[in-house]
Amino acid sequence: MFRLHRTGGRPAVALFTLLLATACGAGTTDSAGSAGGTSPTVRIALGVDAAYAPLYLAVENGMFKKAGLDVQLTKVEGGPAAAQAVTAGTAQISVNADSTALPQMVSNPRLRALGVFQSSGRYLKVVLRKGVTSPSQIKTMGSIQGIGLYATHEYLDHHGIDPDSVKIQQSSPQEIPTMLQRGDIDGYILFDPWAAKGVEAGGHIAGSIGDFGVTYKQWLLADDNWLKENENLAGKVFKVVAEADRLVTKDPHAAAVAAHQQAQLPVAQTEKGAGEISFTARSLTSADVASSRRIVDFLLAQKLIKNAPDYDSVLLRGWYDQHAK
């Protein structure tokens, strides 16, 4: 078992803040997400970085409204907090990477993956501290939950380093570049702006996750109880997201401007990040199930989960083609 050192509690704080904000507005919405008796409101929980550019673009350009939908973005720190918002009922849909969603599906078997809306092997980068020129010099690494932890182990294994020999400190994206600058860690694997901030802190980019065979996929998740009553609605939402995917691919600059308007993300950095992501919506396939099994095997080996999810139940193969294409 690797040595996991947790610092900070921001995901829990983010979720508490989300719950509090929802409770304060409980007088205007019901538990199904209906606002004032009009069209159902769909809240999408998501993080704040270039990976979510299609959703920012869809809201900024009024694409959901043009489709007759009332969609609101609920920004959280990312990672488990987005799926936890769906579990708590404060969002109807969340956007989560496969490696983050799968542990949440163990704790909440009602979560359903509707399909893929983007993927990448380039967006997450390896950042090493100044003076660390070879993976063999690494003694300590910082890591976020989910894809960060999985990628960190794959990176070390790829370079013939036993992960048990490396101290892995788990923290939030915001804190990790500072840890690198202080010399607390020798490297980390993260997306921008946190990879760029590591470079600003004196580090250097040493590759991306695709270099050692790792890719991530972002899924749209929903709770099964809500989905059974709102399958057509969920399909309409995903259809707009798919169209926004195509627009981001066609004009990443416009998407970056929308992300700046919606989430105050820097335009140039977001445009660069969007160019490293494949924004393509599609159904889940048997290949996705196979890659999910590999991730779950890793989580089980690390004793981060106690059992595997029921893949046939939680991964809705073909759902996107049936309801959103």
Side-chain angles (χ1 to χ4, degrees), residues 33-300:
S34 297
T38 61
S39 60
T41 299
V42 179
R43 301 178 190 85
I44 302 178
L46 73 171
V48 182
D49 66 72
Y52 308 104
L55 292 147
Y56 298 137
L57 181 66
V59 170
E60 185 67 19
N61 287 5
M63 296 172 65
F64 290 114
K65 288 183 179 180
K66 290 174 186 175
L69 301 169
D70 179 8
V71 171
Q72 299 175 7
L73 301 185
T74 301
K75 302 178 187 70
V76 298
E77 184 169 311
Q84 288 165 0
V86 171
T87 298
T90 56
Q92 285 69 52
I93 293 174
S94 70
V95 183
N96 288 90
D98 45 6
S99 53
T100 302
L102 289 162
Q104 298 302 310
M105 289 171 163
V106 173
S107 57
N108 179 9
R110 296 196 315 271
L111 286 173
R112 299 289 182 265
L114 309 182
V116 176
F117 97 97
Q118 57 114 315
S119 60
S120 180
R122 297 193 296 150
Y123 188 50
L124 276 78
K125 300 175 181 64
V126 180
V127 182
L128 298 181
R129 181 171 55 81
K130 182 179 180 180
V132 178
T133 58
S134 168
S136 62
Q137 296 174 272
I138 295 173
K139 303 300 179 185
T140 306
M141 288 194 74
S143 174
I144 59 171
Q145 299 179 58
I147 182 61
L149 189 60
Y150 178 66
T152 297
H153 276 250
E154 291 295 302
Y155 172 72
L156 295 171
D157 283 335
H158 177 78
H159 290 286
I161 301 167
D162 181 359
D164 287 343
S165 69
V166 175
K167 181 181 178 183
I168 300 176
Q169 298 191 67
Q170 193 166 329
S171 189
S172 68
Q174 296 88 336
E175 294 168 339
I176 289 177
T178 301
M179 294 164 63
L180 186 85
Q181 187 174 40
R182 290 198 306 255
D184 296 342
I185 56 176
D186 296 319
Y188 62 86
I189 299 172
L190 264 179
F191 44 84
D192 281 327
W194 313 115
K197 287 187 179 297
V199 174
E200 292 171 6
H204 59 99
I205 303 296
S208 57
I209 58 174
D211 297 337
F212 45 95
V214 174
T215 59
Y216 76 86
K217 305 171 190 71
Q218 288 268 16
W219 298 340
L220 262 60
L221 304 183
D223 183 276
D224 188 48
N225 290 343
W226 178 83
L227 187 63
K228 286 176 180 176
E229 300 294 327
N230 297 276
E231 202 151 38
N232 289 336
L233 177 58
K236 290 177 181 178
V237 170
F238 209 152
K239 191 170 184 176
V240 173
V241 173
E243 176 59 24
D245 272 351
R246 290 187 282 271
L247 293 178
V248 172
T249 302
K250 183 178 179 180
D251 191 350
H253 179 72
V257 172
H260 177 72
Q261 295 295 326
Q262 287 288 315
Q264 293 74 56
L265 292 172
V267 173
Q269 197 171 78
T270 302
E271 184 174 355
K272 178 178 178 293
E276 299 169 339
I277 299 170
S278 174
F279 290 105
T280 303
R282 62 171 178 81
S283 278
L284 292 162
T285 66
S286 56
D288 295 309
V289 177
S291 64
S292 295
R293 289 182 183 276
R294 289 193 293 272
I295 293 170
V296 168
D297 286 346
F298 164 76
L299 296 170
L300 288 168

Side-chain angles (χ1 to χ4, degrees), residues 12-26:
V13 172
L15 182 58
F16 175 77
T17 303
L18 178 61
L19 288 167
L20 182 60
T22 303
C24 293

